[in-house]
Amino acid sequence: MASKKITRALVSVFYKDNLEPIVHALASVGVEFVSTGGTQDFIEKLGYEVTPVEKLTGYPSIFGGRVKTLHPAVFGGILFRRDHGQDNGEAQQYNIGPLDLVIVDLYPFEETVAKGGSEDDIIEKIDIGGISLIRAAAKNFNDVLIVSSRDQYADLLHLLHTNKGASTLAERKTFAARAFNVTSHYDTAIFNYFNQEQQLTSLKVSETKGRVLRYGENPHQKGVFYGDLDAYFDQLNGKELSYNNLVDVDAAINLVAEFENETAFVIIKHTNACGVATASTVKEAYIKAFAADTTSAFGGVLITNQPIDKEAAEEINKLFFEILIAPDYGQDALDLLKTKKNRMLLRQKLRLKTGKQYKNLLNGVIEQDADFKTDSVEDLNTVTKREPTQSQIKALLFASKIAKHTKSNTIVLAVDGQLLASGVGQTSRVDSLRQAIEKAASFGFDLKGSVMASDAFFPFPDCVEIANQAGIEAVIQPGGSIKDKDSIDYCDQHNMTMVLTGFRHFKH
């Protein structure tokens, strides 16, 4: 492979951390430095001579630093092809010396947006010269090595020590690919910032961090997670999260987030809740959640929104489960739970923020806003003669939160603070209800006085008829069927109460 010696390097970076060893390594093999502004000062303070970019271009930095390197003396030194006769002749004619290494990073655009900077501050962090230098050097990877981020310094340092200041074509091509990853991500961030206001129907998504998974949904499928899991979790025990684990973790986090001011416990199996409860302690909430389906909880994903103490851990430890998520753990609780080496214990550091949802479909992608709507007391419209009691209202809203996060068609049966059973993912809402009733009975629950939540309207009164026969007394649903009155009339005739919310919560 074509190995090329680095003779002259352009170094101009926003972040100077970890740059010093690079400068020393380059100087030790006789590399000449070209630089600008603060980076020039940094290198000179280390005791090395630097050729200012202004000396190459014949122009000072102008327009408040907006134009420094945009000049043929700089870009020509990067882009001219060393093995191309005409390019070499023109380089000699115009006195353009080669630049074999370019170390450039980009202004912190995303960081400025994240910190809530003013529009003027944000616009000034749109890098022009830097991104142009990176693209130019990456394009000419046959001759030039491009280092486009401080995250690549360790690899560069290893290369310099191993190759004694030279690079191979394969190495340069690898760094070029990384460079285009950096520039494309940067442009995506800028576009998405502007498109918050402009709302162009164009999709730009970029994630620079990826984690190869053991496999996808099934062992014959490959899987990769793109994103920064470490920002959300500390993994305290167990094996690496799998594709299916991550899908269930996402479902668990989104559901438990509905119970902001309560102590809640959720048990998830294949993205659906098989146990949900609220109580005064984590232990009590777990016991109530587990009671809803002691079979499905086996091998499930468990989550609570409160720290786990030893009392809760002793109870949870009796169950075989895959994953447990909590905002924190008492040390004695953690010691107990870690006795099973494969158990995945996660400490959740941040609340999940999901503005948009995407799905591959046909030959494209569909996008929608996440369903942030949680049914509240203000949404409830009582359409029956019988008004719901305060206890029923609490139970109805509790059941509605669960239905929102359950696969359609879904029916959820509950009392205040405890899921009794649910029917999930059925092609008929009647089938979902029958499944839920049968399941509740199999785990010893008496449905008399319980409530029912549906993710969508009832096209016929059959569901309220079946519910009434099972002892269910209150119903929450969005309404919207042309035959709503049939279900309402049945409730009135059988002393049931029904509230409509006006919000459907399909989940497919």
PDB file of all heavy atoms in Angstrom, residues 392 395-396 413-415 420 446-452 467 470-475:
ATOM      1  N   GLN A 392     -63.293   5.684  41.012  1.00  0.00           N
ATOM      2  CA  GLN A 392     -63.386   5.180  39.646  1.00  0.00           C
ATOM      3  C   GLN A 392     -62.600   6.056  38.669  1.00  0.00           C
ATOM      4  O   GLN A 392     -61.957   5.550  37.749  1.00  0.00           O
ATOM      5  CB  GLN A 392     -64.852   5.087  39.213  1.00  0.00           C
ATOM      6  CG  GLN A 392     -65.601   3.916  39.844  1.00  0.00           C
ATOM      7  CD  GLN A 392     -67.078   3.913  39.491  1.00  0.00           C
ATOM      8  OE1 GLN A 392     -67.682   4.975  39.302  1.00  0.00           O
ATOM      9  NE2 GLN A 392     -67.658   2.716  39.403  1.00  0.00           N
ATOM     10  N   ALA A 395     -59.062   5.096  38.871  1.00  0.00           N
ATOM     11  CA  ALA A 395     -58.843   3.793  38.238  1.00  0.00           C
ATOM     12  C   ALA A 395     -58.912   3.896  36.719  1.00  0.00           C
ATOM     13  O   ALA A 395     -58.128   3.269  35.998  1.00  0.00           O
ATOM     14  CB  ALA A 395     -59.861   2.784  38.754  1.00  0.00           C
ATOM     15  N   LEU A 396     -59.861   4.699  36.229  1.00  0.00           N
ATOM     16  CA  LEU A 396     -60.007   4.873  34.783  1.00  0.00           C
ATOM     17  C   LEU A 396     -58.775   5.515  34.168  1.00  0.00           C
ATOM     18  O   LEU A 396     -58.285   5.076  33.116  1.00  0.00           O
ATOM     19  CB  LEU A 396     -61.252   5.714  34.477  1.00  0.00           C
ATOM     20  CG  LEU A 396     -62.596   5.027  34.734  1.00  0.00           C
ATOM     21  CD1 LEU A 396     -63.728   6.049  34.731  1.00  0.00           C
ATOM     22  CD2 LEU A 396     -62.862   3.936  33.689  1.00  0.00           C
ATOM     23  N   LEU A 413     -58.100  -3.969  32.030  1.00  0.00           N
ATOM     24  CA  LEU A 413     -58.982  -4.056  33.202  1.00  0.00           C
ATOM     25  C   LEU A 413     -58.155  -3.732  34.437  1.00  0.00           C
ATOM     26  O   LEU A 413     -57.041  -4.254  34.601  1.00  0.00           O
ATOM     27  CB  LEU A 413     -59.578  -5.467  33.322  1.00  0.00           C
ATOM     28  CG  LEU A 413     -60.271  -6.023  32.065  1.00  0.00           C
ATOM     29  CD1 LEU A 413     -60.819  -7.421  32.339  1.00  0.00           C
ATOM     30  CD2 LEU A 413     -61.377  -5.088  31.589  1.00  0.00           C
ATOM     31  N   ALA A 414     -58.707  -2.880  35.304  1.00  0.00           N
ATOM     32  CA  ALA A 414     -57.916  -2.418  36.445  1.00  0.00           C
ATOM     33  C   ALA A 414     -58.803  -1.947  37.575  1.00  0.00           C
ATOM     34  O   ALA A 414     -60.016  -1.734  37.411  1.00  0.00           O
ATOM     35  CB  ALA A 414     -56.990  -1.278  36.004  1.00  0.00           C
ATOM     36  N   VAL A 415     -58.170  -1.784  38.722  1.00  0.00           N
ATOM     37  CA  VAL A 415     -58.718  -1.013  39.833  1.00  0.00           C
ATOM     38  C   VAL A 415     -57.710   0.096  40.095  1.00  0.00           C
ATOM     39  O   VAL A 415     -56.639   0.143  39.480  1.00  0.00           O
ATOM     40  CB  VAL A 415     -58.935  -1.883  41.093  1.00  0.00           C
ATOM     41  CG1 VAL A 415     -60.059  -2.883  40.860  1.00  0.00           C
ATOM     42  CG2 VAL A 415     -57.644  -2.598  41.484  1.00  0.00           C
ATOM     43  N   LEU A 420     -55.271  -5.474  36.473  1.00  0.00           N
ATOM     44  CA  LEU A 420     -55.805  -6.808  36.744  1.00  0.00           C
ATOM     45  C   LEU A 420     -55.542  -7.742  35.577  1.00  0.00           C
ATOM     46  O   LEU A 420     -55.164  -8.893  35.781  1.00  0.00           O
ATOM     47  CB  LEU A 420     -57.307  -6.732  37.043  1.00  0.00           C
ATOM     48  CG  LEU A 420     -57.721  -5.833  38.216  1.00  0.00           C
ATOM     49  CD1 LEU A 420     -59.238  -5.905  38.412  1.00  0.00           C
ATOM     50  CD2 LEU A 420     -56.984  -6.232  39.495  1.00  0.00           C
ATOM     51  N   ASP A 446     -61.388 -10.945  41.081  1.00  0.00           N
ATOM     52  CA  ASP A 446     -62.824 -10.720  40.947  1.00  0.00           C
ATOM     53  C   ASP A 446     -62.992  -9.361  40.276  1.00  0.00           C
ATOM     54  O   ASP A 446     -62.539  -8.338  40.791  1.00  0.00           O
ATOM     55  CB  ASP A 446     -63.485 -10.716  42.323  1.00  0.00           C
ATOM     56  CG  ASP A 446     -64.995 -10.545  42.243  1.00  0.00           C
ATOM     57  OD1 ASP A 446     -65.510 -10.342  41.122  1.00  0.00           O
ATOM     58  OD2 ASP A 446     -65.654 -10.589  43.297  1.00  0.00           O
ATOM     59  N   LEU A 447     -63.624  -9.315  39.117  1.00  0.00           N
ATOM     60  CA  LEU A 447     -63.745  -8.071  38.353  1.00  0.00           C
ATOM     61  C   LEU A 447     -64.902  -7.192  38.801  1.00  0.00           C
ATOM     62  O   LEU A 447     -65.089  -6.099  38.255  1.00  0.00           O
ATOM     63  CB  LEU A 447     -63.894  -8.398  36.861  1.00  0.00           C
ATOM     64  CG  LEU A 447     -62.658  -9.047  36.203  1.00  0.00           C
ATOM     65  CD1 LEU A 447     -62.955  -9.378  34.744  1.00  0.00           C
ATOM     66  CD2 LEU A 447     -61.449  -8.118  36.301  1.00  0.00           C
ATOM     67  N   LYS A 448     -65.639  -7.619  39.786  1.00  0.00           N
ATOM     68  CA  LYS A 448     -66.769  -6.811  40.242  1.00  0.00           C
ATOM     69  C   LYS A 448     -66.255  -5.477  40.773  1.00  0.00           C
ATOM     70  O   LYS A 448     -65.387  -5.424  41.637  1.00  0.00           O
ATOM     71  CB  LYS A 448     -67.560  -7.535  41.334  1.00  0.00           C
ATOM     72  CG  LYS A 448     -68.816  -6.786  41.773  1.00  0.00           C
ATOM     73  CD  LYS A 448     -69.677  -7.625  42.685  1.00  0.00           C
ATOM     74  CE  LYS A 448     -70.907  -6.854  43.162  1.00  0.00           C
ATOM     75  NZ  LYS A 448     -71.713  -6.333  42.027  1.00  0.00           N
ATOM     76  N   GLY A 449     -66.787  -4.394  40.195  1.00  0.00           N
ATOM     77  CA  GLY A 449     -66.382  -3.052  40.614  1.00  0.00           C
ATOM     78  C   GLY A 449     -65.142  -2.533  39.901  1.00  0.00           C
ATOM     79  O   GLY A 449     -64.696  -1.417  40.178  1.00  0.00           O
ATOM     80  N   SER A 450     -64.578  -3.294  38.981  1.00  0.00           N
ATOM     81  CA  SER A 450     -63.374  -2.854  38.269  1.00  0.00           C
ATOM     82  C   SER A 450     -63.745  -1.928  37.107  1.00  0.00           C
ATOM     83  O   SER A 450     -64.923  -1.691  36.819  1.00  0.00           O
ATOM     84  CB  SER A 450     -62.590  -4.060  37.749  1.00  0.00           C
ATOM     85  OG  SER A 450     -63.334  -4.767  36.784  1.00  0.00           O
ATOM     86  N   VAL A 451     -62.708  -1.424  36.416  1.00  0.00           N
ATOM     87  CA  VAL A 451     -62.947  -0.524  35.289  1.00  0.00           C
ATOM     88  C   VAL A 451     -62.291  -1.097  34.039  1.00  0.00           C
ATOM     89  O   VAL A 451     -61.403  -1.952  34.111  1.00  0.00           O
ATOM     90  CB  VAL A 451     -62.392   0.890  35.565  1.00  0.00           C
ATOM     91  CG1 VAL A 451     -62.955   1.452  36.869  1.00  0.00           C
ATOM     92  CG2 VAL A 451     -60.866   0.909  35.574  1.00  0.00           C
ATOM     93  N   MET A 452     -62.744  -0.592  32.889  1.00  0.00           N
ATOM     94  CA  MET A 452     -62.230  -1.046  31.601  1.00  0.00           C
ATOM     95  C   MET A 452     -61.771   0.155  30.782  1.00  0.00           C
ATOM     96  O   MET A 452     -62.473   1.167  30.693  1.00  0.00           O
ATOM     97  CB  MET A 452     -63.322  -1.804  30.840  1.00  0.00           C
ATOM     98  CG  MET A 452     -62.943  -2.191  29.414  1.00  0.00           C
ATOM     99  SD  MET A 452     -64.176  -3.254  28.613  1.00  0.00           S
ATOM    100  CE  MET A 452     -65.490  -2.072  28.278  1.00  0.00           C
ATOM    101  N   ALA A 467     -68.567  -6.722  29.298  1.00  0.00           N
ATOM    102  CA  ALA A 467     -67.960  -6.137  30.497  1.00  0.00           C
ATOM    103  C   ALA A 467     -68.943  -6.132  31.659  1.00  0.00           C
ATOM    104  O   ALA A 467     -68.593  -6.476  32.799  1.00  0.00           O
ATOM    105  CB  ALA A 467     -67.489  -4.711  30.194  1.00  0.00           C
ATOM    106  N   ALA A 470     -69.301  -9.365  33.300  1.00  0.00           N
ATOM    107  CA  ALA A 470     -68.139  -9.757  34.100  1.00  0.00           C
ATOM    108  C   ALA A 470     -68.036  -8.970  35.404  1.00  0.00           C
ATOM    109  O   ALA A 470     -67.154  -9.252  36.228  1.00  0.00           O
ATOM    110  CB  ALA A 470     -66.857  -9.557  33.284  1.00  0.00           C
ATOM    111  N   GLY A 471     -68.917  -7.969  35.600  1.00  0.00           N
ATOM    112  CA  GLY A 471     -68.918  -7.194  36.840  1.00  0.00           C
ATOM    113  C   GLY A 471     -68.217  -5.847  36.724  1.00  0.00           C
ATOM    114  O   GLY A 471     -68.090  -5.112  37.713  1.00  0.00           O
ATOM    115  N   ILE A 472     -67.761  -5.488  35.539  1.00  0.00           N
ATOM    116  CA  ILE A 472     -67.081  -4.190  35.322  1.00  0.00           C
ATOM    117  C   ILE A 472     -68.124  -3.082  35.362  1.00  0.00           C
ATOM    118  O   ILE A 472     -69.194  -3.184  34.745  1.00  0.00           O
ATOM    119  CB  ILE A 472     -66.332  -4.209  33.967  1.00  0.00           C
ATOM    120  CG1 ILE A 472     -65.211  -5.251  34.012  1.00  0.00           C
ATOM    121  CG2 ILE A 472     -65.782  -2.834  33.609  1.00  0.00           C
ATOM    122  CD1 ILE A 472     -64.715  -5.692  32.648  1.00  0.00           C
ATOM    123  N   GLU A 473     -67.800  -1.984  36.060  1.00  0.00           N
ATOM    124  CA  GLU A 473     -68.801  -0.950  36.302  1.00  0.00           C
ATOM    125  C   GLU A 473     -68.504   0.386  35.641  1.00  0.00           C
ATOM    126  O   GLU A 473     -69.388   1.247  35.553  1.00  0.00           O
ATOM    127  CB  GLU A 473     -68.969  -0.732  37.814  1.00  0.00           C
ATOM    128  CG  GLU A 473     -69.503  -1.959  38.529  1.00  0.00           C
ATOM    129  CD  GLU A 473     -69.709  -1.721  40.028  1.00  0.00           C
ATOM    130  OE1 GLU A 473     -69.455  -0.583  40.483  1.00  0.00           O
ATOM    131  OE2 GLU A 473     -70.101  -2.672  40.724  1.00  0.00           O
ATOM    132  N   ALA A 474     -67.272   0.606  35.179  1.00  0.00           N
ATOM    133  CA  ALA A 474     -66.924   1.906  34.596  1.00  0.00           C
ATOM    134  C   ALA A 474     -66.036   1.698  33.371  1.00  0.00           C
ATOM    135  O   ALA A 474     -65.203   0.784  33.339  1.00  0.00           O
ATOM    136  CB  ALA A 474     -66.217   2.782  35.618  1.00  0.00           C
ATOM    137  N   VAL A 475     -66.225   2.565  32.371  1.00  0.00           N
ATOM    138  CA  VAL A 475     -65.534   2.414  31.092  1.00  0.00           C
ATOM    139  C   VAL A 475     -64.946   3.755  30.666  1.00  0.00           C
ATOM    140  O   VAL A 475     -65.596   4.800  30.788  1.00  0.00           O
ATOM    141  CB  VAL A 475     -66.505   1.912  29.994  1.00  0.00           C
ATOM    142  CG1 VAL A 475     -65.788   1.767  28.664  1.00  0.00           C
ATOM    143  CG2 VAL A 475     -67.178   0.607  30.417  1.00  0.00           C
TER     144      VAL A 475
END
